[in-house]
Amino acid sequence: MSNDLGLNVPNRSFLWFRDTSEMSPYLNDTAVRIRAGLMLAIPIFMAFTLWDIVFGARWEVTGNVIRDTFDTDFDGRTIYMVEALRRTYDYTVQTWLLFYALFEMLAGMTVKTSALSPTIWLANLLASRSPKVWKPLTPKRFAWSIGASMICICLVFFHPEKFAGAVNFVTQHPLLPTTEQYMPRWLPLLMVWLCLGFMWMETVLGFCLGCQVHALLVKAGVLKEECEECNNLDFSR
């Protein structure tokens, strides 16, 4: 019986951590890449959603009132008077997906919480017959922290009034408006496409940009938590 993922698992090939008792745990990078591929569906969905929000039509024509004004614009197109409604969005599905993605990012950061992640279990199962490549957890934890920050930005964009209300309540000052969108519309779209690019590089190329940033910060002395590979910069991987 093994104690991988903090649980008793009878199959030794079902492995996420090399040894859960290590001071600096090592992950099976093969399973990590598979997990990134599984999670890739979320930023793809969010990218289409945010693209529609930023570049889609902001008004919906009802069709109840369409009247020819008998006038044209500078390009010779006929101008019509119509009844239109301001487009509204329901972010319920997107919010739950983002909260789940945030849970996945945070769950993979420790040995005990990794056992709570469904994608880790599924990635382990899919990687059980593949060669295991051990990589330190510390840089991955830093990379997942970046992903979690991007998710939080998207959550604030979808619910600006709730975040503003919480901030104003804590500070006891009206620092943020509660009746309008104060975040730039392009910011969450940029975050989603960056996240999509990072996850694609890890899944397809095996290149973890967050890990490389962590290595640079360790090299510069900004981060003190070092591991065996943190100072071994290799941008060819």
Side-chain angles (χ1 to χ4, degrees):
M1 303 285 284
S2 64
N3 193 30
D4 309 319
L5 286 170
L7 299 176
N8 290 327
V9 181
N11 184 359
R12 185 63 186 174
S13 64
F14 194 66
L15 201 61
W16 178 257
F17 291 104
R18 181 175 65 182
D19 186 350
T20 56
S21 63
E22 289 181 313
M23 291 296 295
S24 298
Y26 274 64
L27 303 173
N28 180 5
D29 193 57
T30 303
V32 171
R33 292 176 61 181
I34 293 175
R35 183 187 183 225
L38 295 173
M39 295 289 294
L40 199 59
I42 295 179
I44 289 176
F45 175 76
M46 297 306 302
F48 281 108
T49 298
L50 290 167
W51 185 272
D52 182 49
I53 293 172
V54 175
F55 298 106
R58 300 188 184 184
W59 297 91
E60 295 181 356
V61 178
T62 63
N64 297 329
V65 178
I66 301 179
R67 187 163 56 249
D68 193 342
T69 63
F70 301 102
D71 198 1
T72 58
D73 61 8
F74 290 106
D75 296 325
R77 295 173 297 185
T78 303
I79 298 176
Y80 290 88
M81 182 179 294
V82 300
E83 180 183 83
L85 301 176
R86 183 73 175 182
R87 189 178 180 187
T88 58
Y89 296 90
D90 181 9
Y91 300 130
T92 303
V93 174
Q94 288 82 357
T95 300
W96 282 109
L97 277 177
L98 286 174
F99 272 119
Y100 176 73
L102 182 61
F103 161 76
E104 286 286 351
M105 292 292 104
L106 299 177
M109 293 185 182
T110 65
V111 174
K112 291 184 179 180
T113 56
S114 294
L116 303 175
S117 167
T119 59
I120 287 180
W121 284 95
L122 182 56
N124 274 320
L125 181 63
L126 296 175
S128 60
R129 297 181 181 274
S130 302
K132 297 172 180 58
V133 180
W134 302 112
K135 297 291 182 67
L137 171 62
T138 303
K140 293 294 182 184
R141 185 186 290 131
F142 177 82
W144 293 335
S145 298
I146 296 176
S149 301
M150 292 180 177
I151 293 171
C152 290
I153 291 175
C154 290
L155 282 171
V156 173
F157 177 79
F158 286 140
H159 302 281
E161 72 289 348
K162 295 179 181 178
F163 180 75
V167 170
N168 295 342
F169 175 78
V170 172
T171 60
Q172 294 297 307
H173 292 285
L175 299 180
L176 296 175
T178 58
T179 58
E180 63 184 45
Q181 176 61 268
Y182 45 82
M183 290 186 63
R185 296 170 65 88
W186 54 265
L187 182 59
L189 184 61
L190 175 63
M191 295 295 99
V192 167
W193 281 106
L194 285 175
C195 184
L196 183 60
F198 293 165
M199 294 178 69
W200 181 86
M201 285 191 294
E202 180 163 13
T203 302
V204 178
L205 305 179
F207 180 87
C208 178
L209 185 60
C211 299
Q212 300 297 339
V213 173
H214 178 272
L216 287 173
L217 293 176
V218 171
K219 200 77 172 179
V222 177
L223 298 178
K224 302 300 182 183
E225 186 177 5
E226 301 184 16
C227 59
E228 182 179 336
E229 299 185 14
C230 290
N231 288 323
N232 183 20
L233 299 181
D234 184 1
F235 289 94
S236 65
R237 292 185 298 168

